[in-house]
Every structure is written in structure tokens, then in C-alpha cells.
Amino acid sequence: MDDVRGLNFINGEYRRGSSGKTFDNISPVDGSLVGVVHEAGASDVDAAVRAARAALKGPWGTMALAERLKIVCALVDGIQARFDDFLAAEVADTGKPVSLASHLDIPRGAANFQIFADIVRNHHGESFMMPTPDGTGAVNYTVTRPKGVIATICPWNLPLLLMTWKVGPAMACGNTVVVKPSEETPSTAAMLGEVMNSVGVPPGVYNVVHGFGPGSAGEFLVKHPGVDAITFTGETRTGEAIMQNAAIGVRDVSFELGGKNPAIVFADCDMDKAVEGTMRSVFANCGQVCLGTERVYVERPIFDEFVARMKQGAEALVCGRPEDKSTTMGPLISQEHQDKVLGFYKRAEAEGATVVTGGGVPDLGAELAKGAWVEPTIWTGLPDDSAIITDEIFGPCCHIRPFDNEDEVIRLANDTPYGLACSIWTENLSRAHRVAPQIEAGILWVNSWFLRDLRTPFGGSKQSGIGREGGTYSLEFYTDMSNVCVKL
Ligand code: NAD
Ligand code: 6OD
């Protein structure tokens, strides 16, 4: 029997791909083989979409809301019951420290089902009474129905978490899904099929097709006319390609895309909190968090101290095997991504950056030599138009630049085509409330980073996304709404 982590999951059953092709899932820790993945062909994608459509009409579509939400909540227990399996699979695919995945990826991957079940259970429509010329009046009320078959295209940085962030609300709202996990991290999406079956999710509600983007499962899926809407997390350029296909048939999209997020550190910050928070926002998950900071602006009087403390923090990070308790930073996702990040490291030096720390590949011994390791890196001294300041790197690195006043730093923070997130560090509440609304980003944190209340709107401005998900904002995307107007 093949390992389910490398199999497609269609209509409640695991199967190899009709393409007849496989690809290797390689560990970014040491280059070893994690498993073999069966690439879905166009006919698999077609079968998955057809199964999803049939389930919409069948038991899932006709099930009472309370029963549906009971099943969605059971997924939380189902994942928790196999916590160690999900943890091991996520860690094997990504190389991230067990300490991180056990606190973030798997618990949030499960919790996403609970929060949206609760939100759907408590959600109510709107009603409006209106006068009419004849004096009898009319009443309007809204009704919702599932949007249909949702294509869910996922990235590799927080695989289970970012997948269930979309599948959770989609299923709670009564939709069916076809998931295309990243080719780098196929395992937990595939394993979730077993949990779906075990808690009684009807066949066809949740489907998984493996493969790549162009010319493969990703493109086949977003082009499929049986897909009603597309929810995607990934790079902005990929979003552009998907949107072109979504235009055929005028399908709705929800996009969570790339960023080049700033952090703003005012001289009146609590220095310990600002350093601790910025260390996390720059280096957590080896810098592979869409919300992560790559541009740090520090008010001049505290610039030198802040840079020195960040250097000290970065040099204290420990790269190593995920299971080692001392490990605080894992590898990048792949050697391809390592090449990209190291390209930026070289470019920074060529452009005359001061390398405060890092800039290369750590020597972790022969065993890890084939892993995708890079050093945590900090630069200063680059011009504002350097590619290091303008382009998303998605690695454990940042550039730190001094500023002199609020207007200047607001202009610098907004000087980007992206607009995902920003952290502002200040103990002056008036300043926090004054500056935050002026930053053109969807998610603004004051004296914190990645502090998530799942009821709040989440998403990016400008080229960082389209739409917002989270809380009732997810329901806007995953449901179709009608107004019923009754003349009295
Ligand atoms: P990516 O865009 O390369 O790939 C994402 C997914 O899209 C993968 O499953 C891939 O196979 C698929 N894909 C690629 N081309 C496609 C096509 N033409 N049609 C259909 N599917 C296609 O992104 P990635 O490298 O996996 O993830 C890193 C990127 O994701 C970064 O830019 C990061 O900022 C972004 N991201 C954003 C958020 C957010 O919430 N805004 C969250 C996580 C990651
Ligand atoms: O916390 C979330 O809900 C979320 N979507 C996080 C995204 C992180 C990006 O890497």
C-alpha cells in the first residue's frame, strides 16, 4: 500500500495519479527522500471536481446545519487525536522546528475548523422594513447558500494551517472543496482525508489533488469550469496567473499574496518588547511567514542600540535538526528557494550593504550539508530603491534603516506595491492610533506581531491580496447571498 501522504484523495478514496508521473518530496533538512508523490492528471482533477459537485447536491448539501457543523467540529478532535502524526508529517515536509509546529501549525490547523463552525452557527442575516407608497410596506431579508465547489490552492510555509484556514470556513458554509497543496508540502493535506472519512464527512466534500502550477494540477483546477470560486494563498505573480483563468466564467477569487512588510520602531518603544517582537517577525519559520518583517525602520536615537541587540539575537539563533530541543531556526523550504535567498544575500553585498551579521550558509556539518540552510542575516546602509528593500525575499533577513520623524517613516513604510502587514513599536498610545491608520496594509499590529483573533478581517491591501478572510468576512466569500423582498 502506498503511503497516503503521496496519494490524491478523490471522492473519499486515495488513488495514484492518472498522469502516471511521480515527484520526490525532499527533506529541506538534509536532502533525504521524505516520500514519493503521485501527480494528478487532468482526469483526476476532473474526477475531483465532479465528486465535489455531486456532494453539493448529495448528503452534504441536504444535511441539516447542526449536523454539518457537528461534523466540522469533529475534525478538530480528529486532528488532535492524530496530533503526533500530523506534527511528524509537517516537520518532515518543511524542516521547521518541532517546537514551532507543535505550538502553531498543528493546533491552529485544527482550531480553524472550530472557529468557523462557531461563527456559522451564530451568524444571522439582515432584515429591513421599508415603507411603500400604498402604505402597506415591505420586508426585506437576506438568505445565504453555499457558493459551490471551491478550488483551494495552498503554499508551503504553513501548510496545514493555511489550508484549513480556507477549508474550515468553506465546509462550515456548506461548500465542497478541491485542495491543491504545494508540491513542496503535500503530506498533511493528504492525511486530512483519513480524518474526513473517520468523522463522517461524505465522499466528495474534501478532495486533494497533487502536483505543480502551470501545466499541472494547479492550472487544471483553476481552469475547470466546474469550479465556482478560487481561494489562493501564494505569490503575487501566481495570483495574476490564477486571476486570468478565474476570469473565464467570471469566477470569484480570494487572494492572500506576497508582502514586503515594514516594522516601525519609535524611540519611545519598550526596547525589550520591540527587539523580542522584531526578532520573531524577522526570523520565525526561517523568515517564511507572509506577515514577516523584511524592512525595519528605527528612530535615529535608538538605532545603534536596536541594531546591536538584533545582531546579538540573530547570532543566538540555533540552526539544527527539527527535533533537537535547542533548535530555534530550521532550513528554508528547498534548495531552489535557498538559491533565491542566497542570490539576495550576494546582491546586498554587491550593492554595498553593511552586513551586520550572517550573509551566507551556516556550517552544520556533513550530515546537513545537503539541506537548504542559510544564516539569519541583517543589513544596514542600502538605498531605498535597492531590490533588498523593494522585493519580497521570504528568508530570515531584514534591512534596518534609521528615520527621523513620523511623516518620513509613514512615507517609507508605504513606499511599496505590497500592503500586507506592519508592526509599530511605541509606548505612546496617541502616536500608535495616529500612525496605524496611515499605513497602507491590511493587518496592523501595535507592540505585537502575529497576534491573531480569528474573528478579525485578515488580508492584504494593494498587491498583497484581494478580499478579507476571517470571522464573518470569510462567510462573505464562501456564501452566495440573496435578498428576499416581501410586499406586505
Ligand atoms: P506560489 O505562488 O509559488 O505557490 C502557491 C501555490 O500555487 C502552490 O500550490 C503552487 O503549486 C500553485 N501554483 C503555482 N502556479 C500556479 C498556477 N499558474 N495556477 C494554479 N496554481 C499555481 O507560492 P509559495 O512559494 O508556495 O508560497 C510563498 C508565497 O506565498 C510568498 O510570496 C508569500 O508571501 C505568500 N504567502 C502569502 C500569505 C498571505 O496570507 N498573504 C500567506 C502565506 C504565503
Ligand atoms: O493566521 C492566519 O490566519 C494566517 N492566514 C496567517 C498567514 C501567515 C502567512 O504566512
Side-chain angles (χ1 to χ4, degrees):
M1 166 70 181
D2 294 296
D3 184 337
V4 301
R5 292 178 299 174
L7 293 177
N8 302 285
F9 183 72
I10 298 171
N11 206 22
E13 289 174 355
Y14 286 98
R15 52 160 99 161
R16 294 177 166 200
S18 63
S19 72
K21 291 189 275 186
T22 59
F23 58 94
D24 290 344
N25 178 5
I26 299 293
S27 165
V29 173
D30 56 10
S32 61
L33 184 70
V34 173
V36 170
V37 186
H38 293 265
E39 185 177 345
S43 64
D44 297 310
V45 173
D46 183 53
V49 174
R50 284 174 190 278
R53 289 221 78 78
L56 267 182
K57 298 268 173 257
W60 194 241
T62 53
M63 191 179 283
L65 176 66
E67 181 63 15
R68 185 170 85 221
L69 297 182
K70 201 166 133 196
I71 291 180
V72 171
C73 291
L75 292 167
V76 182
D77 299 331
I79 295 172
Q80 295 291 358
R82 294 192 53 196
F83 191 94
D84 290 347
D85 295 342
F86 276 95
L87 181 61
E90 203 75 307
V91 166
D93 281 5
T94 61
K96 64 178 73 189
V98 167
S99 55
L100 177 67
S102 60
H103 280 91
L104 177 65
D105 298 69
I106 311 305
R108 256 298 301 280
N112 286 336
F113 286 108
Q114 184 71 53
I115 179 86
F116 289 107
D118 293 345
I119 286 167
V120 168
R121 185 178 293 115
N122 294 315
H123 191 63
H124 52 80
E126 288 181 314
S127 71
F128 302 91
M129 300 295 295
M130 66 181 284
T132 53
D134 65 3
T136 61
V139 60
N140 294 270
Y141 62 92
T142 53
V143 291
T144 58
R145 70 187 79 79
K147 200 164 247 174
V149 175
I150 311 289
T152 307
I153 314 272
C154 306
W156 43 257
N157 60 329
L158 297 163
L160 183 69
L161 186 163
L162 290 177
M163 189 260 288
T164 62
W165 174 244
K166 292 170 177 303
V167 169
M171 285 178 58
C173 290
N175 301 281
T176 58
V177 299
V178 181
V179 174
K180 210 298 279 171
S182 168
E183 53 274 32
E184 305 286 359
T185 52
S187 300
T188 47
M191 286 170 60
L192 190 58
E194 293 181 315
V195 178
M196 295 278 169
N197 283 348
S198 73
V199 304
V201 172
V205 172
Y206 175 83
N207 306 275
V208 179
V209 289
H210 291 300
F212 304 84
S216 183
E219 186 180 323
F220 301 152
L221 181 56
V222 295
K223 276 189 168 163
H224 198 293
V227 163
D228 296 296
I230 301 163
T231 181
F232 166 71
T233 304
E235 285 187 27
T236 297
R237 295 291 85 84
T238 310
E240 287 177 349
I242 290 177
M243 207 166 169
Q244 286 182 353
N245 285 322
I248 304 162
V250 201
R251 275 91 50 80
D252 203 357
V253 295
S254 175
F255 282 175
E256 297 179 353
L257 307 176
K260 188 71 184 177
N261 308 305
I264 302 175
V265 186
F266 286 102
D268 56 17
C269 71
D270 176 320
M271 179 65 98
D272 290 346
K273 280 193 238 161
V275 170
E276 190 274 332
T278 311
M279 279 294 300
R280 283 198 306 117
S281 72
V282 174
F283 298 116
N285 207 34
C286 197
Q288 303 165 119
V289 181
C290 60
L291 310 159
T293 303
E294 291 191 353
R295 300 180 289 144
V296 186
Y297 299 106
V298 181
E299 206 167 0
R300 202 172 297 274
I302 62 162
F303 180 78
D304 290 343
E305 183 189 351
F306 187 87
V307 172
R309 297 215 18 202
M310 287 292 292
K311 171 179 159 67
Q312 197 182 23
E315 289 174 358
L317 291 169
V318 180
C319 295
R321 286 201 170 272
E323 57 282 2
D324 287 353
K325 292 223 161 34
S326 58
T327 298
T328 49
M329 202 175 95
L332 293 169
I333 190 65
S334 63
Q335 289 194 337
E336 188 188 345
H337 192 46
Q338 182 194 35
D339 289 345
K340 176 183 159 189
V341 172
L342 289 175
F344 279 104
Y345 282 18
K346 282 204 185 80
R347 189 161 176 177
E349 284 194 56
E351 290 185 15
T354 299
V355 182
V356 175
T357 188
V361 176
D363 182 1
L364 301 174
E367 261 192 26
L368 303 187
K370 290 197 178 137
W373 300 93
V374 295
E375 287 178 324
T377 296
I378 298 173
W379 306 281
T380 58
L382 285 170
D384 294 327
D385 62 355
S386 160
I388 308 300
I389 318 284
T390 59
D391 296 7
E392 183 185 52
I393 301 173
F394 223 53
C397 53
C398 68
H399 180 265
I400 314 184
R401 176 208 198 279
F403 71 89
D404 293 299
N405 60 60
E406 269 179 36
D407 287 348
E408 179 195 15
V409 79
I410 291 166
R411 181 183 57 72
L412 289 167
N414 288 336
D415 185 17
T416 169
Y418 295 109
L420 189 56
C422 173
S423 281
I424 300 165
W425 299 91
T426 175
E427 291 296 299
N428 178 336
L429 263 187
S430 300
R431 186 201 292 282
H433 287 296
R434 186 167 61 238
V435 172
Q438 296 183 69
I439 304 298
E440 298 159 356
I443 302 148
L444 301 165
W445 279 292
V446 174
N447 296 330
S448 59
W449 177 74
F450 208 164
L451 180 58
R452 295 279 290 113
D453 180 327
L454 305 186
R455 296 168 299 183
T456 58
F458 181 98
S461 305
K462 301 197 277 189
Q463 291 186 25
S464 287
I466 295 181
R468 297 291 183 270
E469 296 197 30
T472 55
Y473 303 91
S474 291
L475 309 198
E476 286 173 16
F477 179 72
Y478 294 106
T479 54
D480 197 19
M481 185 186 287
S482 303
N483 182 67
V484 180
C485 177
V486 183
K487 172 82 166 59
L488 300 177

